């Protein structure tokens, strides 16, 4: 029963991880930019949700689409003004540029919001589903807020998937991801596509942040931790692929849960990074490989 | 001639010619720096160096310490300054931000000692940084007051210049263990979850010792990594071990997360002790009803009642003055910031001089009655003279349950 | 041919300044210059991999940290003289690069960048966990260097870091002029063509990686004994990987003296910004990075070009085309 509980913990975590990573994966796959700013976007989304809840009484789950919208606009602006200027440059330049932007955004948030950890405490708290109440032999507990966050996260991921499959913009993005030069020949305006994709990545980060706010403490310093997870998930699941991010997220969540059990909680981070390096060396296209396009 | 061509002509080969620019920049910097001498003070202020983490992960604590320093400084300067013999000299505190990066704290301490040539120093925040920076104090023979160094490891380098106002970690675990034994006799199984960091881990180990000493069984003791976002696995294991008493150590964000995840996993225990977060209002705000019946211990609390011969007069008066200045109740970090100032002041006044050797001797002798408690130091410089209060959050408010002289309530069992 | 004398002049000025300083300057200035030497060595070290071979390495922090910890642990556990511990640190970092290099140097572009970036993160976590050996999250306290005199201590480290910087730049120059350097330049221009030419690209890359590791490790080792305290977050700080890249950019990636100039300019900038803007230095560093990379990708040599682009940017109303590829000069 312990193992099943650990598995459930892992899956709940994994759904959230998928939402964290999908925007990052999309930007990496389509723009070929490793967006270090992504972690800071998540934190910004979380802060927006926090202030919306404490000052305006808007529930984070309801606020998530608004957080996504705000971050969409911010992402669009950042991409057009700055990222677009280095988009053809080698990864050294693009990665360092987004690193610099992340430094800036993190410092701005630090000055604006201070470093003390904030947390959204839902009133009334959502409580837990204790399976042993209905099935006395099953001693499993599912925290409702994690479950809700995970379900909403999957909803957003699903929305993105639908967008990429069934709208013109979405198909254009997939086309650019497959081959940007061929896409230009097909009449796709790559500059617009880059801007929209980056903005979508930011929007998902914002939504993820809002959904995470009732669960994890919020601070400008948490950005790098989320980013680290996004790295691992992208390589696990394959770049630019929504289903890959989903699979990668779930796998990482479960891996971390069991890893903490077997190796001790202090090794869980080491485990994820070691997996990352091993994957990079032996299977850089991830579990899904290049097959997972959308 | 085109302006652009001239400019481009000046900067041709990036490598070697940029070297020229760099050389010029370096010479310019040297000249400017050479011109800057140490500020000539119009009055002979007593200068105290204080490296603080004003940005970075520890900035909330750094700001709290600074508030404590400032309150002390303003109060003393309003009265004219510290009495050194027949003269009163004002205080100047020289701050530097080490961005929560300990090696920077050490470098800044070195800078304060050699360039700013401060008379005395306050340690940076926390056991780890205090220990690291104490090497600098020892190297230059500067008496240094440590406001937040509780782990005995900080004092194990045989240094003579370090004096800390926090009593050792076991003074937090022993009284708590006594109370548990006395009031909750059917508590047998103990689980400890400690952050893998100098102070929280040392504290966790003290609780282990205190529990074992009283015949309690440790059913779980693990450390969690410093940036852990999710404690579900550790807590699931704890739940499976069915402990009666759960102890968690770490910094405020860890404690908030752990308390919440404990509730998420339906963990119930008779006693839950968390250190130090419950002493901060932020913890109570963030956890809401989950904070109830959580126990903790801390070195100082507004509920204590000490009369003192320092510039504040008593702990009650200190609390009032702090509230007036900052519009909030002081917590133990604010108070210890003021306490180091108070101790230094009393030592200087007693010695009648700012001579470092004489002040050091006076500090060694101890016997300072401060608002923070009576302060005397052991052979390695750690405070040994007071008992940190134990308290419990009851109905959203901290209630002191030990020592008896100041207690406001009794231990309540059962944390959901 | 006016360029050569002015470059020599610049070098001469610097050499003179460097030699005179220990006799005239305050300890503060000496410490600042020691940091300058540290930056020069790190920028030059990165340049060997990032500049010469064109591989986007973010591994500087990993090498630095290993050097720091290896040297620190040896120092805390024995009474071997300092230079021995420093060499041990450099050796440990080199061994690490030889172990990891063959695996990750097969990756290219993005994957190599991510792998090198993650190296530091993994090492940080391992160091945190191995508390018995490294002190874990509580850090490692090193005994003082035995020279109690403050002035001597400062000058000792001044000379040591200077030596490290000179060694690194000399090594870079030697490599540049050698066949190894030629092979690296081939890889940087077009790796596949280099393979066709018969260049053993893997061996070349590994050697470059090792040279970078040895030098960065040496700097880390000296740093650890200088400060007397190291902890995983600081020894493996990501900024240690990013800053040398920026320094090399400022001065000119792929040149010998570019990183030297860039390091000095960066330090001057950092010191003056840091003094005045207490709580926004990271933000300002971020702005500098973005401004540099977006408007002046060629470093100082393209200042003119950079200002043109700024003007064009303002005129065209913001939406421009793609940036030209970075050409190391």
């Amino acid at each position: 029963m312990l193992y099943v509980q650990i598995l459930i913990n892992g899956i709940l975590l994994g759904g959230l991880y998928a939402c964290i990573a999908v925007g990052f994966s999309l930007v990496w796959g389509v723009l070929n930019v490793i967006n270090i700013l992504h972690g800071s976007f998540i934190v910004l989304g979380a802060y927006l949700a926090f202030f919306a809840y404490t000052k305006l009484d808007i529930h984070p789950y309801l606020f998530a689409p608004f957080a996504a919208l705000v971050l969409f606009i911010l992402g669009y602006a950042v991409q057009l003004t700055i990222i677009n200027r280095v988009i053809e440059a080698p990864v050294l330049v693009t990665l360092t540029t987004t690193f610099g932007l992340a430094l800036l955004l993190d410092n701005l948030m630090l000055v604006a919001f201070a470093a003390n950890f904030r947390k959204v405490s839902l009133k009334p708290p959502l409580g837990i589903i204790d399976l042993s109440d209905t099935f006395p032999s099953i001693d499993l507990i599912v925290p409702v807020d994690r479950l809700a966050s995970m379900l909403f996260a999957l909803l957003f991921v699903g929305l993105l998937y639908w967008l990429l499959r069934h709208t013109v913009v979405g198909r254009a993005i997939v086309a650019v991801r497959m081959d940007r030069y061929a896409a230009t020949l097909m009449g796709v305006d790559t500059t617009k596509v880059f801007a929209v994709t980056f903005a979508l990545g930011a929007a998902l980060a914002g939504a993820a942040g809002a959904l995470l706010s009732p669960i994890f403490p919020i601070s400008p310093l948490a950005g790098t931790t989320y980013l680290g997870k996004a790295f691992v998930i992208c390589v696990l699941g394959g770049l630019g692929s929504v289903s890959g991010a989903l699979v990668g997220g779930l796998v990482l969540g479960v891996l971390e849960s069991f890893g903490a059990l077997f190796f001790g909680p202090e090794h869980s981070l080491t485990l994820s990074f070691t997996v990352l390096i091993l994957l990079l060396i032996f299977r850089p296209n991830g579990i899904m490989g290049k097959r997972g396009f959308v | 001639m085109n302006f652009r061509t001239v400019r481009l002509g000046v900067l041709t080969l990036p490598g070697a010619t940029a070297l020229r620019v760099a050389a010029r920049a370096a010479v310019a910097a040297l000249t400017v720096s050479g011109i800057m001498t140490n500020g000539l003070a119009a009055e002979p202020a007593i200068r105290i160096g204080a490296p603080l983490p004003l940005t970075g992960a520890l900035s909330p604590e750094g700001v709290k310490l600074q508030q404590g320093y400032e309150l002390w400084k303003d109060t003393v300067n309003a009265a004219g300054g510290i009495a050194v013999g027949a003269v009163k000299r004002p205080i100047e505190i020289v701050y530097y931000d080490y961005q929560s990066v300990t090696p920077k704290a050490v470098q800044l301490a070195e800078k304060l000692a050699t360039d700013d040539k401060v008379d005395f120093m306050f340690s940076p925040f926390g056991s780890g940084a205090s220990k690291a920076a104490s090497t600098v104090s020892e190297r230059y023979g500067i008496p240094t007051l440590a406001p937040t160094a509780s782990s005995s490891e900080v004092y194990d380098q045989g240094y003579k210049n370090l004096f800390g106002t926090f009593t050792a970690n076991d003074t937090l675990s022993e009284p708590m263990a006594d109370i548990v034994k006395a009031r909750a006799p059917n508590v047998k199984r103990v689980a400890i979850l400690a952050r893998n960091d100098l102070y929280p881990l040392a504290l966790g180990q003290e609780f282990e010792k205190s529990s074992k000493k009283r015949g309690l069984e440790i059913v779980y003791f693990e450390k969690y990594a410093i940036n852990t976002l999710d404690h579900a696995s550790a807590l699931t294991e704890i739940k499976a071990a069915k402990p009666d008493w759960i102890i968690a150590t770490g910094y405020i964000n860890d404690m908030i997360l752990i308390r919440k995840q404990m509730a998420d996993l339906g963990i119930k225990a008779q006693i839950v002790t968390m250190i130090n977060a419950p002493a901060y209002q932020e913890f109570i705000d963030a956890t809401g009803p989950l904070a109830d019946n959580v126990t903790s211990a801390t070195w100082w609390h507004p509920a204590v009642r000490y009369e003192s011969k320092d510039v504040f007069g008593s702990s009650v008066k200190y609390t009032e003055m702090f509230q007036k200045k900052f519009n909030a109740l002081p917590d133990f970090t604010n108070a210890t910031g003021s306490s180091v100032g108070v101790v230094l002041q009393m030592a200087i006044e007693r010695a009648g001089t700012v001579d470092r050797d004489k002040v050091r001797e006076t500090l060694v002798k101890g016997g300072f009655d401060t608002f923070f408690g009576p302060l005397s130091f052991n052979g390695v410089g750690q405070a040994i003279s007071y008992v940190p209060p134990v308290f419990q959050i009851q109905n959203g408010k901290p209630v002191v349950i030990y020592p008896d002289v100041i207690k406001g309530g009794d231990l309540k069992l059962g944390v959901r | 041919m006016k360029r050569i004398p002015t470059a020599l002049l610049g070098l001469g000025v610097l050499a003179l300044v460097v030699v005179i300083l220990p006799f005239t300057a305050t300890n503060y200035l000496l410490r600042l210059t020691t940091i300058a030497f540290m930056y020069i060595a790190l920028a030059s070290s990165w340049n060997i991999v990032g500049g010469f071979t064109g591989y986007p390495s973010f591994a500087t922090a990993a090498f630095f940290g290993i050097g720091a910890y290896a040297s620190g642990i040896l120092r805390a556990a024995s009474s071997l003289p300092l230079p021995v511990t420093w060499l041990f640190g450099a050796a440990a970092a080199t061994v690490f690069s030889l172990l990891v290099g063959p695996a990750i140097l097969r990756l290219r572009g993005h994957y190599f960048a991510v792998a090198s970036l993650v190296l530091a993160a993994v090492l940080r976590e391992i160091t945190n966990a191995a508390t018995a050996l490294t002190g874990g999250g509580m850090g490692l306290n090193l005994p003082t260097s035995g020279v109690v005199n403050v002035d001597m201590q400062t000058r000792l480290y001044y000379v040591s870091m200077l030596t490290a910087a000179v060694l690194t730049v000399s090594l870079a120059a030697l490599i540049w002029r050698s066949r190894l350097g030629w092979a690296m330049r081939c890889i940087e221009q077009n790796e596949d063509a280099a393979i066709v030419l018969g260049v053993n690209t893997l061996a070349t890359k590994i050697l470059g990686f090792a040279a970078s590791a040895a030098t960065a490790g040496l700097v880390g080792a000296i740093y650890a004994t200088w400060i007397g305290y190291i902890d995983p977050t600081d020894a493996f700080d990501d900024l240690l990987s990013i800053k040398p890249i920026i320094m090399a950019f400022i001065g000119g990636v792929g040149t010998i003296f570019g990183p030297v100039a860039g390091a000095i300019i960066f330090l001057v900038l950092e010191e003056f910004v840091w003094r005045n803007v207490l709580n926004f230095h990271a933000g300002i560093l971020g702005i500098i990075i973005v401004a540099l990379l977006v408007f002046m990708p060629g470093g100082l040599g393209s200042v003119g070009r950079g200002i043109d682009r700024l003007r064009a940017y303002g005129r065209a109303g913001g939406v421009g085309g793609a940036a030209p590829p970075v050409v190391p000069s």
Side-chain angles (χ1 to χ4, degrees):
Chain A
M1 210 32 65
L2 179 66
Y3 293 148
V4 182
Q5 178 72 65
I6 301 268
L7 181 66
I8 292 183
N9 294 345
I11 293 179
L12 288 177
L13 203 55
L16 281 167
Y17 280 174
C19 194
I20 290 176
V22 72
F24 183 75
S25 178
L26 197 63
V27 169
W28 192 350
V30 176
L31 275 79
N32 219 22
V33 169
I34 298 178
N35 184 17
I36 305 285
L37 198 48
H38 191 82
S40 317
F41 281 156
I42 297 178
V43 174
L44 185 57
Y47 268 117
L48 291 175
F50 172 77
F51 287 119
Y53 189 67
T54 49
K55 306 253 189 274
L56 302 172
D57 262 345
I58 306 178
H59 200 282
Y61 299 145
L62 289 174
F63 185 75
F66 293 106
L69 186 63
V70 172
L71 266 298
F72 184 91
I73 297 172
L74 179 64
Y76 201 89
V78 167
Q79 204 283 337
L80 275 185
T81 52
I82 297 176
I83 313 262
N84 208 34
R85 316 197 141 266
V86 292
I87 204 141
E88 298 288 336
V91 64
L92 187 69
V93 176
T94 54
L95 201 160
T96 317
T97 307
T98 54
F99 190 96
L101 286 170
L103 277 179
L104 181 59
L105 183 57
D106 282 344
N107 211 158
L108 284 171
M109 288 198 287
L110 189 65
V111 168
F113 306 135
N116 15 331
F117 285 79
R118 317 296 184 106
K119 200 155 175 313
V120 169
S121 304
L122 296 172
K123 296 175 179 36
L126 288 176
I128 56 177
I129 301 174
D130 193 337
L131 286 177
S132 59
D133 290 342
T134 26
F135 308 104
S137 55
I138 305 183
D139 185 20
L140 290 176
I141 299 207
V142 179
V144 175
D145 54 7
R146 285 200 176 214
L147 183 63
S149 285
M150 183 193 97
L151 291 174
F152 276 106
L154 291 178
L155 185 66
F156 275 100
V157 173
L159 266 172
L160 181 67
Y161 185 85
W162 177 87
L163 193 93
L164 290 175
R165 275 209 97 98
H166 295 288
T167 64
V168 175
V169 177
R171 297 314 286 167
I173 293 178
V174 176
V176 171
R177 188 228 178 256
M178 283 167 73
D179 189 329
R180 70 170 68 168
Y181 298 111
T184 330
L185 291 174
M186 294 289 127
V188 171
D189 181 348
T190 46
T191 309
K192 266 237 181 70
V193 167
F194 287 154
V196 171
T197 313
F198 194 84
L200 272 177
L204 279 157
L211 294 173
L212 289 171
S213 61
I215 301 181
F216 296 135
I218 308 166
S219 154
L221 313 155
T224 35
T225 320
Y226 296 135
L227 193 65
K229 313 271 182 216
F231 267 138
V232 184
I233 295 171
C234 275
V235 178
L236 265 175
L239 294 179
S241 142
V242 172
S243 42
L246 192 58
V247 170
L250 287 170
V251 169
L252 183 64
V254 173
L255 203 66
E256 278 189 355
S257 265
F258 280 103
L261 182 66
F262 292 129
F263 299 113
E266 73 264 29
H267 295 294
S268 54
L269 285 171
T270 322
L271 187 65
S272 12
F273 283 129
T274 315
V275 166
L276 173 63
I277 293 200
L278 289 173
L279 270 176
L280 279 174
I281 296 173
F282 296 113
R283 200 181 158 81
N285 283 329
I287 295 178
M288 306 285 288
K290 276 219 165 84
R291 285 166 295 144
F293 267 174
V294 179
Chain B
M1 191 191 294
N2 193 319
F3 182 51
R4 196 200 324 153
T5 318
V6 170
R7 196 172 56 238
L8 269 181
V10 160
L11 300 164
T12 44
L13 269 181
T17 324
L19 199 60
R20 277 188 58 244
V21 177
R24 287 195 177 155
V27 171
L30 289 175
T31 325
V32 174
S33 310
I35 292 175
M36 289 190 288
T37 50
N38 283 327
L40 299 163
E43 310 155 311
I46 301 179
R47 303 173 75 234
I48 307 174
L52 280 178
L54 294 172
T55 56
L58 296 170
S59 59
E61 280 86 352
V63 169
K64 286 180 202 281
L65 264 187
Q66 191 177 38
Q67 288 174 329
Y69 294 158
E70 286 292 301
L71 180 62
W72 168 70
K73 183 187 85 177
D74 291 341
T75 315
V76 173
N77 283 347
I82 298 185
V84 184
V87 182
K88 273 202 169 177
R89 295 174 59 176
I91 301 167
E92 182 194 333
I93 304 183
V94 185
Y95 294 110
Y96 282 120
D97 173 19
Y98 64 87
Q99 302 168 45
S100 306
V101 174
T102 305
K104 264 213 176 75
V106 177
Q107 289 170 291
L108 287 167
E110 178 103 29
K111 185 168 194 298
L112 286 163
T114 56
D115 300 328
D116 300 280
K117 296 201 187 356
V118 295
D119 301 301
F120 303 100
M121 288 221 280
F122 293 151
S123 293
F125 178 84
S127 294
S130 297
K131 181 171 186 177
S134 64
T135 308
V136 174
S137 310
E138 194 69 10
R139 203 183 284 162
Y140 298 100
I142 304 181
T144 301
L145 277 296
T148 53
S150 63
S151 308
S152 50
E153 288 86 340
V154 177
Y155 305 91
D156 67 2
Q157 300 183 93
Y159 292 162
K160 307 248 167 303
N161 282 287
L162 188 65
F163 300 90
T165 52
F166 275 0
T167 50
N169 289 335
D170 62 351
T171 60
L172 294 181
S173 63
E174 284 285 305
M176 187 72 221
D178 275 337
I179 295 177
V180 167
K181 201 85 173 96
R183 296 200 174 277
N186 44 348
V187 164
K188 295 271 177 290
R189 303 162 65 89
V190 179
I192 307 177
L193 186 59
R195 178 173 152 130
N196 193 10
D197 209 344
L198 178 61
Y199 161 62
L201 185 57
L203 189 57
Q205 287 163 342
E206 286 303 328
F207 270 102
E208 185 188 19
K209 279 193 228 151
S210 302
S211 306
K212 282 200 178 144
K213 234 164 60 172
R214 290 163 180 75
L216 300 174
E217 185 195 347
I218 310 282
V219 297
Y220 180 92
F221 186 170
E222 285 290 345
K223 326 182 269 224
Y224 60 90
I226 292 182
N227 271 327
T228 307
L229 281 188
D230 183 60
H231 299 274
S233 281
L235 290 172
T236 308
E237 263 193 278
I238 289 182
K239 184 175 183 197
K242 299 198 196 328
D244 305 307
W245 183 15
I246 300 179
I247 300 160
T249 66
Y251 292 104
I252 185 170
N253 52 299
D254 307 307
M255 299 293 94
I256 295 174
L257 191 57
I258 289 177
R259 181 67 194 97
K260 178 151 189 323
Q261 288 196 268
M262 280 173 60
D264 283 349
L265 289 167
I267 298 179
K268 302 189 203 322
Q270 291 214 43
I271 307 187
V272 172
T273 302
M274 305 192 121
I275 303 198
N276 291 79
Y280 295 124
Q281 188 61 34
E282 290 97 309
F283 176 83
I284 303 180
D285 290 338
T287 49
L290 293 176
D292 265 350
N293 286 3
V294 171
T295 42
S296 184
T298 180
W299 291 275
W300 185 92
H301 190 278
V304 302
R305 298 277 176 273
Y306 295 117
E307 295 294 322
S308 60
K309 301 204 182 66
D310 60 19
V311 68
F312 294 109
S314 73
S315 52
V316 172
K317 292 222 193 78
Y318 175 79
T319 309
E320 279 170 19
M321 293 174 74
F322 190 92
Q323 259 186 309
K324 208 161 104 183
K325 187 171 166 75
F326 294 107
N327 235 343
L329 274 177
D331 57 40
F332 68 97
T333 310
N334 301 123
T336 187
S338 305
S339 78
V340 285
V342 155
V343 167
L344 182 60
Q345 173 179 16
M346 292 173 93
I348 294 176
E349 287 176 349
R350 258 185 224 177
T353 164
V354 291
D355 173 72
R356 286 178 182 164
D357 293 324
K358 296 239 167 51
V359 172
R360 195 184 304 120
E361 282 166 23
T362 320
L363 281 168
V364 167
K365 289 201 199 117
F368 302 101
D369 282 322
T370 73
F371 77 93
F372 193 77
L375 285 174
S376 295
F377 310 102
N378 63 11
V380 289
Q382 184 158 29
I384 46 167
S385 46
Y386 63 91
V387 180
V390 178
F391 66 95
Q392 182 173 41
I393 312 276
Q394 295 175 356
N395 299 321
K397 292 210 171 334
V399 173
V400 176
I401 57 176
Y402 175 89
D404 289 334
V405 283
I406 52 169
K407 84 173 186 189
D410 279 315
L411 177 71
K412 285 198 203 158
L413 293 176
V415 182
R416 52 183 180 83
Chain C
M1 292 298 278
K2 264 200 278 187
R3 291 184 262 170
I4 296 176
T6 47
L8 272 181
L9 191 68
L11 254 179
V13 166
L14 272 182
L16 204 64
V17 164
V18 160
V19 167
I20 290 184
L21 267 183
F23 300 101
T24 59
T26 60
N27 282 343
Y28 164 66
L29 207 46
L30 284 179
R31 268 204 309 281
L32 199 61
T33 325
T34 311
I35 296 183
F37 296 145
M38 184 169 119
Y39 281 177
I40 289 175
L42 286 176
S44 200
S45 163
W46 174 84
N47 193 38
I48 295 176
V49 175
F52 293 174
T53 65
Y55 264 60
S57 167
F58 289 92
T60 316
F63 299 144
F64 181 93
I66 293 183
Y69 265 99
S71 140
I73 294 174
L74 186 63
R75 176 97 184 126
S78 75
S79 53
L80 289 170
L82 279 178
V84 175
T85 62
W86 294 339
L87 287 173
F88 182 71
T94 315
V95 167
F96 173 77
S97 74
L98 290 172
L99 287 172
V100 172
I104 72 172
L105 284 165
R106 288 177 212 274
L107 304 169
R108 296 217 197 157
H110 286 225
Y111 292 128
F112 175 75
V114 171
S116 64
L117 188 61
V118 163
L119 276 180
V122 175
L123 286 170
R124 199 182 309 141
E125 293 306 320
I126 295 179
T127 313
N128 247 323
T131 315
L133 185 63
T134 64
M138 310 172 221
L140 196 61
N141 277 286
L142 296 171
T144 51
S145 72
V147 180
V148 180
N149 182 329
V150 178
D151 293 335
M152 288 265 66
Q153 172 110 349
T154 317
R155 280 151 184 78
L156 168 71
Y157 281 103
Y158 179 90
V159 171
S160 313
M161 273 298 182
L162 173 60
T163 314
V166 168
L167 276 174
T168 313
V169 176
S170 311
L171 183 62
L174 266 170
I175 293 181
W176 179 258
R177 286 177 203 284
S178 73
R179 197 175 159 76
L180 179 64
W182 171 83
M184 287 178 167
R185 288 197 291 282
C186 288
I187 294 177
E188 191 265 323
Q189 288 185 22
N190 188 322
E191 184 158 0
D192 294 313
I195 297 177
V196 166
L197 275 178
V199 173
N200 185 342
T201 51
L202 190 60
T204 308
K205 288 184 282 187
I206 293 177
L207 280 174
F209 208 53
S212 189
T215 46
L218 179 64
V219 174
I222 300 178
Y223 174 84
T225 56
W226 183 29
I227 306 292
Y229 172 90
I230 46 173
D231 69 20
T233 330
D234 194 69
F236 296 106
D237 187 6
D238 288 325
L239 280 176
L240 277 167
S241 291
I242 299 280
K243 284 188 191 173
I245 297 177
I246 301 301
M247 294 176 211
F249 262 105
I250 293 178
V253 174
T255 65
I256 304 298
F257 289 113
V260 177
I264 297 176
I265 295 176
F266 184 88
L267 179 67
V268 171
L269 261 176
E270 192 182 53
E271 182 61 18
F272 283 121
V273 166
W274 182 75
R275 269 170 173 274
N276 301 319
V277 186
L278 264 189
N279 64 345
F280 204 66
H281 20 195
I284 301 225
L285 178 62
I287 295 177
I288 292 175
I289 290 176
V290 174
L292 185 68
L293 290 174
V294 172
F295 296 110
M296 289 192 290
L300 270 190
S302 63
V303 166
R305 246 187 290 146
I307 297 190
D308 279 344
R309 293 184 58 200
L310 251 178
R311 275 206 221 108
Y313 177 73
R315 221 185 294 132
V319 181
V326 174
V327 177
S329 31

